[in-house]
Amino acid sequence: MAETSNQTSVVPDSQPADPLASLHKMSTTAGVGSTDYVAINSLAVTSVVIGLASVAAWLSVVLLIIPVVGITFAVFALRQIIGSNGTQTGKGLAIVGLVLSLGIAAAVLANTAIETAQYNRDTAEIDKVVGKLGGFMNTGNYDAAYGLFTDKFHERVSKENFIQLMKQAQQSPRMGRVVGMKSNQRLSIQFEPNLKLRVAIGMILIDWEKADFDGREEFKFEQIDGNWLIHDIPSFFPAPGQGPQ
């Protein structure tokens, strides 16, 4: 009898080992947040542009609306960037736009306040000079009245001619004597580069003894050594060639 050998099939206990199993596995979230596109906030960019354009506010206080808009845009940009959970950038731009708009607006407002205070002081000083002239005219102190005018006026109009004309003005049967004078508080004051001094022009209200209304005359002023003086009354003392003094 032939011997038969029992063949036993060997079944492996497990699947063949994966040749890649020993390699380090990368995280499935690797790169998220570092390679995603981050947008620059458009309001931040716009706020910088508006901040630069805010210099136009120096031309007129009405144009302060420009930095106000710039501030608004910058604030909204910062809020959007902070609330974007990292999907928007441009915080630095928004801060630059905010600083530009705030800085220019503050500078313009401060300069306006200074100029307004100076205008009020000048107006008050000019009104005092006009009031003195009215008082001297009322009392007939023409020498003192003449002293309220500039040296340039004195070179053009002599004291004798000045006193003669003032006396004639006081003898009007219809108007009577000058009771007083005051500024209408609407003076135009500016620096004159050619003369290197500050000048002013405005309408002066003259209270006449017999008139039931205030007369209005144009006055010109110059600031000499910090003091305002009357430079001219064109209708009373016309320039040479424009009528008799």
Side-chain angles (χ1 to χ4, degrees), residues 109-155:
L109 288 173
N111 184 69
T112 301
I114 293 173
E115 288 183 346
T116 299
Q118 182 63 53
Y119 177 84
N120 291 336
R121 287 193 296 270
D122 290 334
T123 300
E125 292 175 7
I126 290 174
D127 200 37
K128 288 182 180 179
V129 174
V130 172
K132 288 181 180 180
L133 178 62
F136 292 149
M137 290 286 291
N138 180 259
T139 59
N141 190 350
Y142 303 116
D143 285 341
Y146 189 69
L148 297 175
F149 288 74
T150 64
D151 290 341
K152 293 178 183 178
F153 177 85
H154 294 163
E155 293 173 0

Side-chain angles (χ1 to χ4, degrees), residues 17-25:
D18 185 354
L20 301 178
S22 62
L23 295 179
H24 176 71
K25 292 183 178 181

